């Protein structure tokens, strides 16, 4: 009998939590109008980016007839992103010319890959050491529970990320954005994938443009509040991409609500481009008759290639967790197979040669300890990536 008052109290609390919405509710017509505007802007943006990329490649080709366009694709994977940071750091330390780390012409990142992507894009050894040390030294307050009532529906998520927000506040500085903007002006591309849950669609952000916009707003800022707001947007784009739905807080950017980019695609590689929007087609339009530079994709999967088998108990939390893991894992493999198919189709169309290489955490590796963001586990992964950076067999050129 004592359970009845307790259950009634819980019901009252839950019903109270389901009150008026915190965000202004827009009509479907308003949201569809916004979608049309975003799609129109995105179409123009894609064309501009691709033409700028072709001009960048043409300039490089004039200096080096053997120039290839190198594309780094960084997947999601949470704390397992330490594999990617270790691999990039170890690669940057190679003194063997054939194994030299490329200067990436395009970098794309999803979720944890989005946090790594700007450092890979900047590409100096100091940058790669910095992001690897970041992953090697997780702080206890990176992720915190919201307390005993974390499950209430009025909460944006089960967890808070105060430490991660603090770290990114220190990283996303004026100097950081200025360096990204300089590289973007050269025609190089940095893209961060998010999921727009208002619109119900994937939304990649051109992070070079985001850096340029932030710098303009910083210059126009009249007080500290405006300065903070200018830096908040590029920071929140990164946090949005890494915002695991339900677990981490979503982020509102430009009046829309965003969550983890891995919800809609765990890797981004241009698979949604129409034929006339691709690099090869754009190059032939701008430079007819001139050989198309080779595209080389380097895909870092910050997780196992396939899930490790284990006995799953019948409780719903374990089943849901495992099912979501499998959903992401196999959608990633499907995307990778699609990339290999695109590479073959591109060559058959006469739109240029494309090579694809990919790497993932070896099946033989196991976490040192249970739990997320464990320092020993993340250091083990970083060490593994660093060791594998220049080992034969690290990269596969065969479709999974």
């Amino acid at each position: 009998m004592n359970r009845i008052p307790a259950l009634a109290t819980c019901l009252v609390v839950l019903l109270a939590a389901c009150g008026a919405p915190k965000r202004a509710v827009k009509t479907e017509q308003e949201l569809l109008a916004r979608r049309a505007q975003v799609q129109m802007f995105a179409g123009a943006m894609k064309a501009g980016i691709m033409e700028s990329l072709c001009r960048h490649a043409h300039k490089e080709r004039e200096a080096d007839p053997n120039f290839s366009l190198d594309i780094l694709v960084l997947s999601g994977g949470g704390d397992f992103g330490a594999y990617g940071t270790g691999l990039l750091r170890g690669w940057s330390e190679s003194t063997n010319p054939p194994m030299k780390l490329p200067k990436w012409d395009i970098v794309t990142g999803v979720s944890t890959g989005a946090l790594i992507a700007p450092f890979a894009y900047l590409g100096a050894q100091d940058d790669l050491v910095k992001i690897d040390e970041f992953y090697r030294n997780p702080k206890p307050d990176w992720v915190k529970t919201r307390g005993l009532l974390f499950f209430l529906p009025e909460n944006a998520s089960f967890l808070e990320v105060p430490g991660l927000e603090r770290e990114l506040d220190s990283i996303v500085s004026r100097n950081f954005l200025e360096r990204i903007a300089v590289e973007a002006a050269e025609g190089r591309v940095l893209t961060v994938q998010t999921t727009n849950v208002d619109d119900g669609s994937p939304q990649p952000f051109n992070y070079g443009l985001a850096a340029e916009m932030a710098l303009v707003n910083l210059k126009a800022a009249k007080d500290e509040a405006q300065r903070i707001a200018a830096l908040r947007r590029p920071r929140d784009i990164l946090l949005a991409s890494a915002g695991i739905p339900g677990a981490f807080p979503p982020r509102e950017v430009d009046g829309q609500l965003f969550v983890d980019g891995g919800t809609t695609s765990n890797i981004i590689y241009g698979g949604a481009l129409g034929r006339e929007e691709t690099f090869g087609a754009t190059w032939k339009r701008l430079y007819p008759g001139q050989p198309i530079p080779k595209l080389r994709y380097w895909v870092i999967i910050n997780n196992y290639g396939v899930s490790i088998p284990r006995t799953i108990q019948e409780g719903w939390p374990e089943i849901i967790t495992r099912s979501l893991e499998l959903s992401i894992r196999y959608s990633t493999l499907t995307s990778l197979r699609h990339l290999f198919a695109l590479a073959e189709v591109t060559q058959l169309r006469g739109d240029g040669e494309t090579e694809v290489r990919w790497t993932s955490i070896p099946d033989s590796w196991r976490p040192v300890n249970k739990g997320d963001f464990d320092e020993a586990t993340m250091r083990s992964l970083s060490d593994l990536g660093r060791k594998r950076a220049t080992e034969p067999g690290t990269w596969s050129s065969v479709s999974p």
Side-chain angles (χ1 to χ4, degrees):
M1 295 293 292
N2 290 334
R3 292 181 183 179
I4 295 176
L7 288 171
T9 300
C10 287
L11 182 60
V12 169
V13 171
L14 286 171
L15 289 174
C18 298
K22 295 179 180 178
R23 301 176 65 223
V25 178
K26 296 185 181 298
T27 66
E28 184 176 312
Q29 289 73 20
E30 289 175 316
L31 291 170
L32 287 172
R34 170 137 191 172
R35 174 185 286 181
Q37 289 179 336
V38 169
Q39 289 177 342
M40 183 174 65
F41 178 76
M45 180 69 66
K46 282 191 292 187
I49 288 173
M50 201 58 73
E51 289 184 6
S52 180
L53 185 63
C54 283
R55 287 192 288 271
H56 161 73
H58 190 263
K59 181 180 177 181
E60 296 291 335
R61 165 66 69 79
E62 288 181 330
D64 176 10
N66 297 317
F67 169 79
S68 295
L69 203 73
D70 284 295
I71 304 163
L72 177 64
V73 177
L74 296 159
S75 85
D79 49 355
F80 280 14
Y83 174 70
T85 64
L87 188 138
L88 290 168
R89 178 178 182 173
W91 199 353
S92 74
E93 294 166 346
S94 174
T95 57
N96 184 7
M99 294 299 298
K100 185 178 179 182
L101 181 74
K103 181 175 181 179
W104 308 108
D105 302 287
I106 304 174
V107 178
T108 72
V110 179
S111 197
T112 197
L115 301 183
I116 302 167
F119 295 88
Y121 179 76
L122 294 173
Q125 190 169 5
D126 287 349
D127 295 310
L128 300 175
V129 169
K130 184 175 183 178
I131 190 61
D132 187 46
E133 288 298 319
F134 175 80
Y135 274 77
R136 290 177 65 86
N137 297 281
K139 303 297 188 296
D141 68 345
W142 273 12
V143 178
K144 295 177 64 176
T145 61
R146 289 185 182 272
L148 293 176
L149 300 180
F150 68 90
F151 55 84
L152 290 179
E154 69 175 358
N155 291 329
S157 60
F158 289 164
L159 306 171
E160 296 177 296
V161 290
L164 198 55
E165 290 173 344
R166 182 190 63 246
E167 300 272 6
L168 284 178
D169 277 336
S170 67
I171 287 170
V172 182
S173 63
R174 181 189 291 267
N175 178 257
F176 178 79
L177 296 173
E178 285 174 344
R179 293 179 64 206
I180 288 173
V182 166
E183 298 299 331
E186 295 295 318
R188 298 174 63 228
V189 178
L190 173 59
T191 302
V192 169
Q193 171 82 344
T194 66
T195 298
N196 185 330
V197 288
D198 281 340
D199 188 67
S201 65
Q203 183 168 327
F205 279 91
N206 176 350
Y207 206 74
L209 178 61
E212 292 170 359
M213 289 174 61
L215 291 170
V216 169
N217 290 333
L218 274 174
K219 187 175 181 180
K222 296 179 180 179
D223 53 38
E224 184 65 10
Q226 291 182 355
R227 189 192 71 81
I228 291 173
L231 293 173
R232 187 61 51 85
R233 184 177 185 272
R235 185 208 72 165
D236 280 351
I237 289 172
L238 298 180
L239 285 170
S241 183
I244 303 168
F248 291 1
R251 302 288 159 172
E252 189 166 336
V253 180
D254 303 334
Q256 299 275 278
L257 200 64
F258 295 88
V259 298
D260 195 339
T263 304
T264 43
S265 181
N266 201 37
I267 57 173
I268 51 172
Y269 50 92
L273 293 173
R275 180 177 178 181
E276 295 306 312
E277 297 173 322
T278 62
F279 177 82
T282 306
W283 177 277
K284 288 198 293 188
R285 188 173 67 252
L286 293 178
Y287 307 108
Q290 296 190 31
I292 303 171
K294 180 191 295 184
L295 302 185
R296 299 195 302 181
Y297 283 87
W298 306 81
V299 183
I300 298 179
I301 305 297
N302 289 301
N303 217 309
Y304 296 108
V306 295
S307 291
I308 303 302
R310 66 177 189 270
T311 301
I312 301 298
Q313 300 303 323
E314 293 184 358
W316 66 263
E318 191 167 354
I319 290 173
I320 288 177
T321 300
R322 178 65 162 176
S323 299
L324 289 173
E325 173 203 338
L326 295 174
S327 174
I328 293 173
R329 191 75 55 253
Y330 286 93
S331 70
T332 304
L333 290 178
T334 298
S335 295
L336 196 50
R337 291 168 184 147
H338 183 230
L339 175 56
F340 272 93
L342 275 179
E344 186 174 350
V345 168
T346 297
Q347 189 158 342
L348 290 172
R349 286 173 171 170
D351 287 345
E353 184 180 353
T354 302
E355 295 178 354
V356 180
R357 298 175 179 83
W358 67 283
T359 182
S360 63
I361 297 170
D363 293 349
S364 57
W365 179 85
R366 292 293 181 275
V368 178
N369 299 308
K370 292 183 178 180
D372 297 325
F373 300 100
D374 176 77
E375 182 176 311
T377 293
M378 294 176 76
R379 288 190 170 221
S380 171
L381 267 178
S382 170
D383 291 340
L384 174 67
R386 199 170 175 183
K387 178 175 179 290
R388 297 195 80 210
T390 54
E391 286 185 344
T394 296
W395 298 94
S396 174
S397 56
V398 178
S399 177

